Amino acid sequence: MDVLIAQPWIAAVLVLGLLGVLIGALLGVLAERLKTDDDSLVEQINAILPQTQCGQCGYPGCRPYATAIAEAGESINKCPPGGAAGIAKLAELLGVAPEPLDAEHGVEDVARVAYIREDECIGCTKCIQACPVDAILGSAQLMHTVIADECTGCDLCVEPCPVDCIDMIEAPVTLERWVPENPKNLIASDRGRW
């Protein structure tokens, strides 16, 4: 005990160590008690939705729409970016018949991404503020650009642009989006290559 009184820093280290252990244990217990079920129906529905956060469905984003489908029985056909493929996946998950896209919420279109004509951009940051997925990179008074892999094509950045320098162009074909016209012929002709 005399050593602790003679060396106050030892007592401080011991107290802080004990405090760290207690806080760690408390956080561990809270994490277990507050853990969410990642396999919940809302999470499964949200994983199917395209994450455009465009609001075309009448909800402020994909997660609120997923919650409405799971908990309030909302229709599964209100998402134009998800289109017929998304409706089919939702119908399969929920065990219901697929419905055609509700035209009141828009029409299915080809996948698009925003493109900023950088030489015309004035750096106002209004597009950055409008982007729900942070796909636009830039700073005030400097040109902006779009990270195409992050852009969901919601076109919420187009309207606020004061100089109209944002175009919605067809999304580039990636391995995730590429579908061969005739997969059987492709596989047969490429067998020797692989």
Side-chain angles (χ1 to χ4, degrees), residues 160-174:
C161 180
V163 293
D164 195 27
C165 69
I166 303 175
D167 297 318
M168 296 304 294
I169 61 171
E170 190 170 336
V173 175
T174 62

Side-chain angles (χ1 to χ4, degrees), residues 59-88:
Y59 292 89
C62 294
R63 175 129 178 117
Y65 181 42
T67 303
I69 292 171
E71 297 175 1
E74 182 65 82
S75 298
I76 62 171
N77 65 342
K78 295 184 175 185
C79 180
I87 292 170

